[in-house]
Amino acid sequence: QVQLVESGGGLVQVGGSLRVSCVTSRGTLKNLTMGWFRQAPGKEREVVASISWSGRTTTYADSVKGRFTISRDNRKNTVYLQMNSLKPEDTAVYYCNAVDPPTTPKYNYWGQGTQVTVSS
């Protein structure tokens, strides 16, 4: 079974920073674009960012451009999302998944996610 384990969330003040991580099972990331998704209370899950296998191609939702940076370390089977200048509207549970470009999640399985709460 595919493993997707998110961590690194927490409570942060407006304007602060967090880095969330996604550790995947061996082989999950091979030749795959990976992405971060988030779901806020009462809202649909949305894609936040994606990154190609090589790391040379990245995409971001308009709402996070210039503030978030996605990266990956394939040797560690890990994908990261650095979040800066956080806003209350960034509050959500953050999930990772493989992505069929441009924004379609590849796996039906979702991990537990990691909660990010931005207080004002």
Side-chain angles (χ1 to χ4, degrees):
Q1 183 177 333
V2 173
Q3 295 183 50
L4 301 164
V5 182
E6 300 93 344
S7 64
L11 176 64
V12 65
Q13 296 183 59
V14 170
S17 298
L18 283 174
R19 187 179 75 165
V20 292
S21 302
C22 170
V23 179
T24 70
S25 53
R26 179 182 173 86
T28 299
L29 276 64
K30 184 67 173 180
N31 297 322
L32 294 177
T33 294
M34 295 293 294
W36 282 96
F37 300 77
R38 68 185 181 188
Q39 187 166 28
K43 296 184 178 180
E44 296 294 319
R45 184 158 45 212
E46 63 175 347
V47 65
V48 175
S50 69
I51 184 168
S52 65
W53 165 253
S54 68
R56 292 192 293 269
T57 302
T58 57
T59 66
Y60 297 93
D62 288 341
S63 60
V64 307
K65 283 182 179 177
R67 300 189 298 118
F68 290 12
T69 302
I70 188 171
S71 61
R72 66 193 295 166
D73 186 337
N74 292 334
R75 294 183 65 85
K76 295 181 177 180
N77 299 303
T78 302
V79 183
Y80 305 95
L81 185 68
Q82 177 68 45
M83 301 179 288
N84 299 326
S85 302
L86 284 161
K87 304 175 181 180
E89 49 263 47
D90 295 318
T91 295
V93 178
Y94 284 71
Y95 302 89
C96 65
N97 208 325
V99 173
D100 290 323
T103 60
T104 304
K106 186 174 185 67
Y107 302 123
N108 291 326
Y109 171 83
W110 296 87
Q112 64 181 353
T114 186
Q115 176 72 49
V116 172
T117 302
V118 184
S119 63
S120 58

